[in-house]
Amino acid sequence: MTSPTPELPERLWLGGAIGDSLVELVLYAADIDLCAVTAALGCSPSSALTRGQQVGRRPPAPIGHWSLEAPRDLRFEEKVAFLLSATTPDPQVWQRLSQAHSVQLRCAAFLGSWSEGFDLPAAVIAELGARGWSFSLAMYSAEGEEILE
């Protein structure tokens, strides 16, 4: 008989959890069909553009994209979970979408101190892989004396 797995304490980060971040799911394709992507995913995008579309004074979009951004007031891990729960879990839908689109979980972390972090549970990482989402993370360092010392 195996003993039950002890419950591990939540990881403590020396500088704390990441306090400010952007997390969004983005699908890119040259000839993206925004209505079809919306219908397949079961939710509306935060932003969407077709190739050549222009917004304001920006140049025309070089590629089309469909994007869903997680709410800013959530913790990093909660933002990832939000995007997973807001979109279809159907693996066949994700297989079709990933054949015609680049599917990316794009993240930016804005560090407020010299060390901050996050944990993604194995089940979340497995679900990202099952859906074919690539993971992109850009980290922006804190400014000020704490990083110069």
Side-chain angles (χ1 to χ4, degrees):
M1 181 168 134
T2 61
S3 62
T5 304
E7 193 168 315
L8 298 174
E10 190 172 317
R11 184 177 305 245
L12 299 176
W13 296 96
L14 293 178
I18 291 176
D20 187 15
S21 62
L22 289 171
V23 179
E24 65 180 339
L25 171 65
V26 187
L27 284 78
Y28 293 102
D31 295 319
I32 195 165
D33 182 338
L34 299 174
C35 292
V37 171
T38 298
L41 294 182
C43 62
S44 297
S46 303
S47 68
L49 290 174
T50 56
R51 182 175 55 179
Q53 190 174 351
Q54 200 166 355
V55 176
R57 294 183 175 192
R58 292 183 175 175
I63 191 166
H65 82 270
W66 184 103
S67 171
L68 178 61
E69 186 176 326
R72 292 292 301 260
D73 61 339
L74 300 176
R75 289 188 347 249
F76 185 88
E77 304 91 309
E78 293 171 333
K79 291 176 184 182
V80 175
F82 169 85
L83 293 172
L84 287 168
S85 68
T87 57
T88 183
D90 186 337
Q92 293 178 340
V93 169
W94 286 109
Q95 184 178 22
R96 283 194 316 271
L97 287 171
S98 64
Q99 289 173 349
H101 304 81
S102 173
V103 182
Q104 300 176 12
L105 181 63
R106 298 181 51 86
C107 308
F110 306 98
L111 304 181
S113 70
W114 62 276
S115 173
E116 296 178 10
F118 63 89
D119 279 319
L120 290 178
V124 170
I125 294 169
E127 185 62 25
L128 296 176
R131 293 183 187 202
W133 297 8
S134 68
F135 181 78
S136 170
L137 175 62
M139 300 183 80
Y140 300 90
S141 67
E143 294 183 20
E145 293 181 21
E146 78 265 7
I147 64 170
L148 299 176
E149 295 176 2

